[in-house]
Amino acid sequence: MREYDLFIDGEFVPSESGETIDAQDPSTGETVATVANGTPADMDRAIAAARKAFDEGPWPGMDPKDRAKVMLDVWERLAEKAGEIGELETADAGHTIRNSSLFSVPYSNEYWRYLAEAGGKLNYTEPVPKYVFPTEAWEFVERVPFGVCGQIIPWNFPYMMAIWKIAPAIATGNTVVLKPALETPVTAMALAEVIAESDIPPGVVNVVPGDGPTSGEALVSDPRVDKVAFTGSTEVGRRIMQLASSTIKYCTLELGGKGPNILLDDADLEIAVPGSMWAMYLHSGQICHAGTRLLVPASLYDEVIARVVELAEGFKVGPAADFESDLGPVINQTQLDTIERYVEIGQQEGAKLLTGGERMTEGELSKGFFFQPTVFGDVTNDMKIAQEEIFGPVLTVIRYEDADEAVRIANDSIYGLSAGVWSRDTSRALATARRLRAGTVWINDWHLVSPAAPFGGFGQSGVGREHGEWGLKNYLDVRYVHVSQTTSKDQKFWFQVLGL
Ligand code: NAP
Ligand code: MG
């Protein structure tokens, strides 16, 4: 059995309370590892270490290229350990082994590599366009790290989220305290183990799993923390923003979504319908940017519904570690209860349950948290199941008459994280895509994002962007420097203003 302590100031230390939690495998209910449960006092220690590493340590002042080099050594180790980390992600977070070995873990490592290199190459100094008033000066801006970043992540893609947070922050010279979700702390600790063996100085990265409402709030509220980066639900995001306001912390928030997925009437259904299943059912729908609202033209509705139901019923749901499983479990009992509640709500609202809708408890599935791939037809966009995030394998299918209506429905949401359009005619798809209020829009694709591209949401899906130059710059404050080019008294107009 693996045991992980908290990672603070370059060392693994027990929680001050001595408390641990059992990380559970959602496929089997078995314990994957025991992990120290960080208290607010542990957060205090971690913040102090990150503060010291920023204020006194070499990391913020290092040549960005040297930071990149150190980070690339870490990446090599992560790449070597990808198989092992993938197995841990499968055990702790229920990623099917096909997902963790082909997608979630290797793809996350790519983010580490790309962001390390991009942080090394970024322009940290930029000239200000020449502006001569009132007197000549040379002006430039310097981009400087914020300082200590408090980072909080959810349970759905724990390894990816840990990398998405730590890599851009430290590549730009910040130090971090990361709080993984208590539900899935294991792969963030595996990452911490690799960091512990590297040349990243102690205190630059601290990883403290702990309870959100206590230890998470302690992190966000602490005046020694300069920036907060949060990924999770919109509800908790609101609370984070409130807490961060007490000391005017810079905040980036990656929150919920209810992705509208528009099939135009000329879509290639051989690709678009399976593509819509990929958009919806990857990781059993527990993805913020999943395509959860499928918008289908009335003329194709019956044909598309028949195909969607056939594909949903064809999924093999099973233990995540089984290579045969297309879909694995959902994360826990609470999530099962939430999904079940929404299935009831959908039926009460008058949507048509076309397939699924129940827990799966036969045979080996009885030990885990499995739910049937579920499809609701005859959904209207005002229903709760079309407006609220379910975070499970529940697709809502909505009919529309023309493209204007599809766009109206797509944008009628508090969220604006992701959207997609399927069409054989790219210019037509583009014209529709440009009207969608979403941070990411896919055309004839889904889920593929890039470490070079900005990621984030419109509306209540969040504030700010992660990744690419946009994301790296969100970890850098801007210092404007004005160097006067005038030397004599009579050239200094402020002598006159104050009568000096
Ligand atoms: P959540 O309940 O909002 O929790 C996210 C994290 O916040 C966890 O680490 C949680 O800690 C912590 N937390 C909870 N209450 C807190 C508080 N009062 N103060 C500080 N921290 C607090 O979300 P989740 O259920 O884990 O994850 C699912 C949600 O994440 C969905 O809404 C999904 O859309 C969103 N998500 C968004 C993105 C994106 O990039 N936009 C990506 C993935 C997921 P504990 O749970 O450990 O107590
Ligand atoms: Mg777990």
Side-chain angles (χ1 to χ4, degrees):
M1 170 78 63
R2 287 171 188 257
E3 289 176 12
Y4 295 101
D5 279 334
L6 311 172
F7 183 54
I8 298 176
D9 207 12
E11 293 189 355
F12 287 91
V13 293
S15 157
E16 160 261 12
S17 67
E19 218 183 287
T20 60
I21 50 136
D22 290 338
Q24 208 187 15
D25 181 337
S27 298
T28 62
E30 282 163 17
T31 299
V32 181
T34 61
V35 182
N37 187 354
T39 62
D42 297 311
M43 275 301 166
D44 181 73
R45 277 195 290 169
I47 295 165
R51 190 72 261 167
K52 188 156 180 277
F54 187 80
D55 293 338
E56 298 168 30
W59 192 253
M62 267 168 74
D63 184 326
K65 286 191 191 61
D66 293 335
R67 282 198 299 256
K69 202 160 160 288
V70 172
M71 287 182 70
L72 288 173
D73 291 342
V74 171
W75 171 72
E76 275 180 24
R77 284 293 291 146
L78 295 176
E80 280 163 24
K81 289 177 80 125
E84 187 189 321
I85 294 172
E87 281 170 20
L88 289 174
E89 196 74 327
T90 290
D92 190 25
H95 285 209
T96 61
I97 195 75
R98 272 154 41 200
N99 176 10
S100 64
S101 62
L102 299 173
F103 183 64
S104 69
V105 170
Y107 207 42
S108 303
N109 287 343
E110 261 305 287
Y111 271 81
W112 183 282
R113 183 193 64 76
Y114 182 90
L115 292 166
E117 284 181 347
K121 287 187 227 153
L122 198 72
N123 276 334
Y124 289 83
T125 309
E126 293 167 30
V128 170
K130 194 166 169 62
Y131 183 85
V132 188
F133 176 81
T135 46
E136 288 270 343
W138 176 46
E139 301 171 291
F140 61 96
V141 295
E142 286 179 321
R143 293 190 187 272
V144 293
F146 274 105
V148 175
C149 300
Q151 307 183 311
I152 298 182
I153 56 173
W155 46 257
N156 62 339
F157 275 67
Y159 183 65
M160 186 176 282
M161 294 299 112
I163 285 191
W164 279 24
K165 288 285 173 284
I166 295 173
I170 67 171
T172 43
N174 297 276
T175 62
V176 307
V177 178
L178 176 82
K179 190 202 87 61
L182 265 192
E183 193 66 59
T184 54
V186 173
T187 46
M189 298 320 301
L191 173 61
E193 283 185 331
V194 174
I195 291 171
E197 290 165 8
S198 76
D199 289 335
I200 295 178
V204 171
V205 177
N206 304 274
V207 184
V208 182
D211 168 62
T214 52
S215 301
E217 294 211 1
L219 177 60
V220 176
S221 312
D222 196 292
R224 293 166 296 174
V225 173
D226 300 294
K227 177 193 161 149
V228 170
F230 171 79
T231 298
S233 61
T234 294
E235 193 187 343
V236 176
R238 288 190 192 104
R239 175 80 184 138
I240 300 282
M241 217 171 179
Q242 257 172 9
L243 293 170
S245 75
S246 65
T247 51
I248 318 292
K249 289 182 179 53
Y250 194 92
C251 237
T252 45
L253 304 170
E254 302 289 355
L255 309 176
K258 196 75 193 176
N261 177 13
I262 303 176
L263 255 67
L264 292 181
D265 56 14
D266 65 347
D268 176 355
L269 297 185
E270 289 301 310
I271 307 255
V273 177
S276 301
M277 305 304 278
W278 157 250
M280 175 66 237
Y281 292 101
L282 177 66
H283 197 30
S284 300
Q286 302 171 108
I287 303 186
C288 52
H289 55 63
T292 47
R293 290 184 291 153
L294 178 58
L295 275 54
V296 183
S299 59
L300 294 178
Y301 185 81
D302 290 341
E303 185 184 350
V304 168
I305 280 285
R307 187 79 185 113
V308 163
V309 168
E310 187 190 338
L311 289 173
E313 290 176 351
F315 280 134
K316 183 169 176 354
V317 181
D322 185 343
F323 200 82
E324 296 300 313
S325 300
D326 300 319
L327 267 57
V330 299
I331 193 69
N332 56 23
Q333 186 62 43
T334 311
Q335 203 55 32
L336 265 186
D337 294 342
T338 302
I339 297 164
E340 229 174 24
R341 201 178 69 241
Y342 275 110
V343 169
E344 263 177 50
I345 289 172
Q347 286 169 299
Q348 284 160 12
E349 287 178 312
K352 200 161 160 194
L353 181 61
L354 299 172
T355 187
E358 292 187 8
R359 297 174 185 202
M360 301 171 80
T361 52
E362 321 82 68
E364 59 180 352
L365 300 192
S366 66
K367 291 181 285 174
F369 309 111
F370 294 92
F371 203 87
Q372 291 174 327
T374 299
V375 181
F376 271 111
D378 292 345
V379 176
T380 55
N381 200 51
D382 57 344
M383 293 179 182
K384 272 200 168 77
I385 56 167
Q387 288 291 329
E388 295 177 14
E389 208 177 26
I390 302 174
F391 234 57
V394 182
L395 178 65
T396 59
V397 188
I398 302 173
R399 246 192 221 92
Y400 71 82
E401 292 301 330
D402 57 31
D404 283 346
E405 190 188 9
V407 169
R408 214 165 33 243
I409 293 171
N411 289 337
D412 177 17
S413 169
I414 63 163
Y415 297 116
L417 189 62
S418 65
V421 183
W422 301 82
S423 168
R424 283 194 175 88
D425 179 345
T426 308
S427 57
R428 194 168 164 232
L430 257 176
T432 305
R434 290 211 170 107
R435 298 169 67 193
L436 299 175
R437 304 281 304 164
T440 296
V441 182
W442 288 284
I443 292 177
N444 296 329
D445 222 328
W446 206 283
H447 285 315
L448 297 185
V449 288
S450 146
F455 181 78
F458 285 30
Q460 295 187 36
S461 285
V463 177
R465 293 293 180 271
E466 295 188 298
H467 316 311
E469 207 176 312
W470 302 267
L472 291 168
K473 285 182 176 170
N474 269 335
Y475 278 101
L476 294 164
D477 219 331
V478 170
R479 179 194 291 132
Y480 157 64
V481 182
H482 170 109
V483 184
S484 175
Q485 291 188 27
T486 57
T487 45
S488 68
K489 226 173 126 176
D490 58 351
Q491 286 174 302
K492 301 265 186 214
F493 102 115
W494 39 263
F495 272 87
Q496 296 165 37
V497 175
L498 212 57
L500 294 165

